[in-house]
Amino acid sequence: MEQNFLKIRKSKGKINGTLQLLVLEEGDHLIMYLPALNLSAYGDDFKEANEMLKEVLDDYFSALIQLSKEEIDAELHKLGWDKHKIYRRVVNLSDTTFEDIKAQFGISNETELKPLQKFSLSV
């Protein structure tokens, strides 16, 4: 099990954290998936997929930071997060199989799963 965390400083409008990142190859495309937030992006290569993921995260966190503290708690709780001093979420990838991920994205059996990576962020 890997631990993801988010530190939300609403008064400063900042979110920092570390999230697990799954990288999948589907044909000529690369898919980046953050299971802890159920967010994904894709591109023709790593650079393009990474830039798209940064845009997705920026949009998500920009909307999240506008919510009240109670709404932020509720939104993250829906995704399986628990709040301590910082938000933490343990992702047990044995609960989410590669077959589940392929079905969610509608990708073929030829798709390759790259080794799990950690993704640090600051928005």
Side-chain angles (χ1 to χ4, degrees):
M1 285 195 280
E2 292 288 329
Q3 194 164 46
N4 297 271
F5 76 88
L6 293 175
K7 183 173 184 179
I8 299 174
R9 293 180 291 186
K10 186 163 173 51
S11 62
K12 295 185 178 189
K14 292 195 178 233
I15 299 175
N16 296 53
T18 299
L19 302 169
Q20 283 183 299
L21 173 68
L22 293 175
V23 179
L24 307 123
E25 284 185 9
E26 169 64 15
D28 294 336
H29 300 310
L30 205 62
I31 300 169
M32 293 186 168
Y33 176 56
L34 296 169
L37 294 173
N38 198 27
L39 296 175
S40 63
Y42 70 94
D44 291 335
D45 55 33
F46 185 88
K47 182 179 177 185
E48 185 178 12
N50 191 45
E51 287 177 17
M52 292 298 294
L53 185 62
K54 286 180 182 180
E55 285 184 39
V56 167
L57 281 169
D58 187 50
D59 290 346
Y60 180 77
F61 287 138
S62 293
L64 189 69
I65 204 79
Q66 298 301 315
L67 301 175
S68 69
K69 287 182 181 182
E70 294 78 19
E71 291 170 320
I72 291 171
D73 290 348
E75 178 68 25
L76 291 176
H77 184 74
K78 283 190 266 183
L79 293 169
W81 290 79
D82 289 320
K83 183 179 178 185
H84 301 282
K85 287 186 179 182
I86 58 177
Y87 291 91
R88 295 182 187 273
R89 180 167 185 228
V90 174
V91 176
N92 185 350
L93 288 178
S94 64
D95 293 343
T96 304
T97 68
F98 186 44
E99 297 303 316
D100 295 334
I101 294 170
K102 287 195 297 187
Q104 179 178 353
F105 289 102
I107 55 181
S108 71
N109 288 331
E110 290 81 38
T111 299
E112 180 184 336
L113 176 64
K114 297 282 187 173
L116 194 65
Q117 301 176 28
K118 285 203 174 189
F119 182 78
S120 294
L121 60 104
S122 181
V123 179

